[in-house]
Amino acid sequence: MKIVVDMQGVQTDSRHRGIGRYTRQVTSAFLTMASARHHVQFMFNAALDGIDESIEMWPSGTGKPSWSTYGPIRQTSSSNPDNAWRRDAAERLMSHALDTSGADVAWQSSVVEGFTDDALAPSGMISPLCVATLYDLIPLHAPEEMGRSRMRDWYFRRIASLKRCDLLLAISEWVRQDAIERLGVPAERVVAIGAGVDARFRPAPPDGSAQTALRERFGIRGAFVLYNGGFDQRKNVDVLFPAFAELPRDVRDSHQLVIVGRLDEGTRQRFAAHMERTGLHAHEVILTDFVSDDELVLLYQHCDLFVFPSQREGFGLPPLEAMACGAPTIANNATSLPEVIGDASALFDGSSAQAITKAMLDVLTSTERQHDMREAGLRRAAMFTWDNVAERALVAIEHAMAGRRPRERIDQTPLTHIAPIHALDALNVSHRLPEVRRWPGPIHWSGPYPTADALPPADRYRVHGYAGLVRPPDMDDWRVLLAGLGPIVVAPTDTIDWTSVATHPLIRQRLVEDAIATNEAPHLGDDDLARIADALDRLRPATARRWLVDVTQIAEADFGTGIQRVARCILENWLARPPEHVRIEPVVFRDGRYHHAHAYACALLGVPTPADLPDDIVAVTGNETFVGLDWAINSLPASAPLLRTWRRAGVDMHFIVHDLLPITLPDAFHPHTRTSFVEWLANAADLADVLHCNSRSTALDLEHWLAARHDASRPRVTIFPLGVTPMRTMKKTTIPPYVADALRARPSFLMVGTLEPRKGHAQALSAMEILWAEGVDANLVIVGKRGWLVNDLIERLDRHTARGGRLFWLDECDDAMLDTIYTASTALLAASWGEGFGLPLIEAAQRGKPVIARDLPVFREVADAYPAYFDADTPRQLATFLKGWLTSPPPSGTLPPWPEWATSAQALATDILRQRGVIQEQPSQVVSP
Amino acid sequence: MTGLLRLPLRAALRLLTKHPRMKRWLVDTVYRIPALDAALRTAAHRVSHPEARLDVDASQMSESSRRSFDRMRMGNPQ
């Protein structure tokens, strides 16, 4: 059974109050309890806050809970008459979201929301079993307090929503009875599930420091009587002033009255008037205003008596919390409070100040009575657990499902009116397709399908993604394409089974579109209708999971850097051979939104871009994975707010971290680059579910950086192996004759990589100068473009007397020329002070060339025992090492196996799929849990 | 909404929060004039909930959403 929980109870301002706390606790316990037997999914309103907090609070150990969103449709609150049409359309959208979620049960965490916020309630009946938590019907007890106007109308609309529910989960037996009486709901449709108390409400540990804390924070001198809660009329707090004032003088002198709760100016003045009237002095009454949860626990733990005179409560959480903290507790004998207190002797008549005085006096003057009440209260509170609440809810839902009869389609709109029948065959299908797309309806097909190669490239992409552009057409392609546009029927048109037709996602969408077109669309502006249309369209279930691969930087300019080479090689493999049931979609961030990058993807695959495929904006459904494959240092800070909304919509987030060099070697980068890099990494870490590194060294650097942030929620860090392009036989190109002559004449050390400070060119050049001065005859060949912060090095190279003789710098060198130079050189010199990977080591080793490398962990990881490692802080030390190497070259160690790019791409894909639970086994290289 | 208007409106909302009776009187009075009620509530909403910029608009939609939009604007195929 699939149970969808509408989470608006933790999204509106209610999330700061009892409803939010109740919803959080009961859904967490329910998830833990029910997920073994049922599929529990949470659904959020994207127009409201609170999604991030909810995602973070779910219990660990239940795997990644699934959730979805609908909208956002903003400005729907019922308080504003201008919102009416927008709200009505949005509520149709919400109903459609629940109908198409595949849920058997839709549980609304809080129906009575949406007056001053953008919370919604389903419009009319929905297909799943409709369940709602019922907190109370207190406004129906005093309807005059609602005044006139919109609030009353709104409240009664919400009451109508509650009445439509198949099952109400009341938070107390009193609320259950109230619902039966006031709503006329049959008794079997309302079940009392109760409430629980959070584990942090517990008795005080034996520690004397609390008295000091209470005195310093609140001015509490000694013993005190406590009240906690709201101050509206039904809370009946005003009666506490005369009740406390009537206590005997000696009792009053030895106790203070402490009133906890958020105070506004009006309430403060009202309390001041009561104190004056009853003769209470300022030192006798303490108004704390708002207190933190920790402070509240402290107050509960150390009060001599907790008193709760409220006249109407749906449950009464404060007395339960007080009892759980060991406070003797008395309460009004009204509504749900006797259920909570469970002891008739601890109840009083809240309408009588004298009765409250007597009840307080009984407790405050008897140590024995206080002790007994503490013990009884603790026993009583222990019965109220969230696990019990969740279990009662689950049993009630399962029972209601067992007795449920299938609901007939409520919308009686004749389908023929909105879904025209398209009579198609092989001859007319091509020119009729645009009309079918515009007005989806049953497709009445006659005869055989056209040949597969007649399917235009754009439609091959629509059926199979980019892989469809490079693989042979399939005979089934036409059928798959048409089935996505409407239900295919072969029976005569007058015998079409319209019930079956109505199950097609597009026809269901048409039903909602038609209702909105008839009722709300004429009153909505274009932008409002666009948001409704977009939200509606995104609710249609996707046929395959999409991986949105960010190629913003590389699609704009491919500089051929090592990072871009990694991005390109992995993407090429994914496009041609996507993981099973996955569609790869390269996307670019432009004009504030992500767009499809069809042209770039087709160029990578070497196929023409289909003419009628627009680079339109990417609309997410929640069935996507975002992969930050490229290093989007410039675009991520701008796109992060949009990606945050995607994450809330259920999009998984993955980023590749190629290195942390701007952080680990700050002097080797411009200050601006360092700042930008940290901003990029911080955004990636905030957004990501998983950060993927290509070496253990980078992963460890990343772990240290993440640990230093002290962020409560840290993404997982994993490692995938980088690929290596297999050695290809390249056509040898000519290199400048003076370089070729020098390479033949003497041993040559080759350095490959952009000229930047961390590459160690300066130290290598100084070491060579020492060798040349000592008469060692050897070349230094540097291949690489000019980078940053290397003005001094460039000047040295340009003016060097050995330039062109034994020193060479080739800044324009294609792959073929580099291959020739590798072959002609004696050894690769990898003098870098820091690297993310170290591709030249592999390139040299593949050609059988010895490698002399600085002893970096990442080089050991990449090349293992193959290179001769040096550890040189000074040019002299490096020169000594090189001289020794030339005199007696050590044999190269064993070559580690390196995967090809296809293997690398597959390993990364496997790690990404694992996050979704598609692959169950533990990853082989997880750095953090 | 300009900052010039936002500040006094925010102050007025704060004042009403502190004086529930005055707020109730205002609500019940303005309720009789729906256009004024709507205008004031829209302005109040903008003060406390600045307009988000992450939503789609009619000029920027995906191909599929655009079709849904057109269908709702046009009504039905007949």
Side-chain angles (χ1 to χ4, degrees), chain A residues 392-409:
Chain A
R392 283 184 214 115
L394 182 57
V395 168
I397 288 171
E398 286 177 338
H399 186 258
M401 267 307 284
R404 190 189 186 209
R405 282 178 302 182
R407 208 180 329 265
E408 290 178 8
R409 194 169 71 83

Side-chain angles (χ1 to χ4, degrees), chain A residues 745-768:
Chain A
R746 59 189 76 87
S748 303
F749 296 114
L750 171 65
M751 298 183 77
V752 179
T754 308
L755 272 65
E756 50 173 306
R758 73 181 164 96
K759 296 287 186 181
H761 292 102
Q763 190 193 52
L765 180 57
S766 298
M768 290 305 294

Side-chain angles (χ1 to χ4, degrees), chain A residues 361-686:
Chain A
L361 198 58
D362 283 351
V363 182
L364 296 176
T365 55
S366 168
T367 316
E368 191 181 346
R369 171 105 170 108
Q370 282 184 21
H371 176 266
D372 290 348
M373 288 186 76
R374 281 185 206 282
E375 295 300 315
L378 287 171
R379 284 196 300 275
R380 180 75 184 162
M383 297 162 70
F384 292 82
T385 69
W386 289 111
D387 284 346
N388 287 344
V389 178
E391 187 171 6
R392 283 184 214 115
L394 182 57
V395 168
I397 288 171
E398 286 177 338
H399 186 258
M401 267 307 284
R404 190 189 186 209
R405 282 178 302 182
R407 208 180 329 265
E408 290 178 8
R409 194 169 71 83
I410 306 301
D411 192 332
Q412 296 303 320
T413 311
L415 284 173
T416 48
H417 173 68
I418 58 164
I421 301 170
H422 299 283
L424 301 184
D425 56 34
L427 292 176
N428 70 5
V429 64
S430 292
H431 77 265
R432 292 287 308 279
L433 270 182
E435 180 67 11
V436 176
R437 286 200 171 97
R438 198 172 305 125
W439 295 109
I443 295 170
H444 185 259
W445 185 265
S446 316
Y449 287 112
T451 55
D453 54 4
L455 195 67
D459 285 329
R460 292 218 304 273
Y461 159 79
R462 288 186 179 107
V463 173
H464 295 295
Y466 293 102
L469 299 176
V470 290
R471 73 180 195 197
D474 191 295
M475 285 305 292
D476 204 32
D477 286 354
W478 275 103
R479 193 197 57 75
V480 174
L481 176 74
L482 293 171
L485 301 177
I488 300 175
V489 293
V490 288
T493 50
D494 54 350
T495 61
I496 286 178
D497 175 8
W498 286 99
T499 309
S500 163
V501 165
T503 60
H504 190 281
L506 261 174
I507 305 300
R508 296 179 81 166
Q509 182 176 325
R510 280 294 297 128
L511 284 166
V512 185
E513 286 173 355
D514 184 61
I516 293 174
T518 309
N519 297 291
E520 290 90 25
H523 309 280
L524 294 174
D526 278 354
D527 285 345
D528 281 331
L529 193 61
R531 283 164 200 151
I532 298 280
D534 185 62
L536 196 55
D537 197 61
R538 286 186 289 108
L539 287 173
R540 207 164 61 245
T543 49
R545 188 166 185 84
R546 294 186 302 165
W547 286 10
L548 307 173
V549 183
D550 187 358
V551 293
T552 303
Q553 302 288 120
I554 195 171
E556 185 183 313
D558 188 346
F559 295 114
T561 64
I563 289 174
Q564 289 184 323
R565 193 191 304 190
V566 171
R568 195 181 336 108
C569 290
I570 287 177
L571 185 56
E572 274 173 351
N573 276 279
W574 280 358
L575 284 171
R577 290 172 295 281
E580 201 175 358
H581 306 305
V582 169
R583 284 181 65 148
I584 302 296
E585 296 283 0
V587 296
V588 293
F589 186 70
R590 189 176 67 234
D591 301 331
R593 297 173 200 275
Y594 276 97
H595 294 70
H596 290 280
H598 296 309
Y600 178 73
C602 290
L604 267 190
L605 287 171
V607 297
T609 309
D612 52 344
L613 212 52
D615 277 349
D616 58 353
I617 67 168
V618 178
V620 300
T621 65
N623 192 25
E624 289 89 4
T625 295
F626 178 86
V627 186
L629 190 59
D630 195 6
W631 187 33
I633 190 168
N634 295 322
S635 63
L636 187 62
S639 65
L642 179 59
L643 291 178
R644 248 167 234 127
T645 68
W646 285 12
R647 188 172 192 271
R648 288 178 199 129
V651 177
D652 289 344
M653 292 282 161
H654 295 255
F655 288 87
I656 316 303
V657 179
H658 298 268
D659 62 59
L660 275 80
L661 293 171
I663 292 173
T664 54
L665 291 174
D667 293 342
F669 295 88
H670 277 297
H672 172 71
T673 307
R674 294 200 300 264
T675 308
S676 300
F677 180 82
V678 170
E679 192 179 3
W680 173 83
L681 190 59
N683 273 309
D686 289 342

Side-chain angles (χ1 to χ4, degrees), chain A residues 74 79 150 417 513 537, chain B residues 37 41 55 64 71 78:
Chain A
R74 301 177 213 279
S79 61
R150 240 164 288 288
H417 173 68
E513 286 173 355
D537 197 61
Chain B
D37 191 357
R41 285 184 185 277
D55 302 338
S64 174
R71 286 193 291 264
Q78 271 78 39

Side-chain angles (χ1 to χ4, degrees), chain B residues 33-44:
Chain B
I33 313 162
L36 179 62
D37 191 357
L40 286 175
R41 285 184 185 277
T42 302

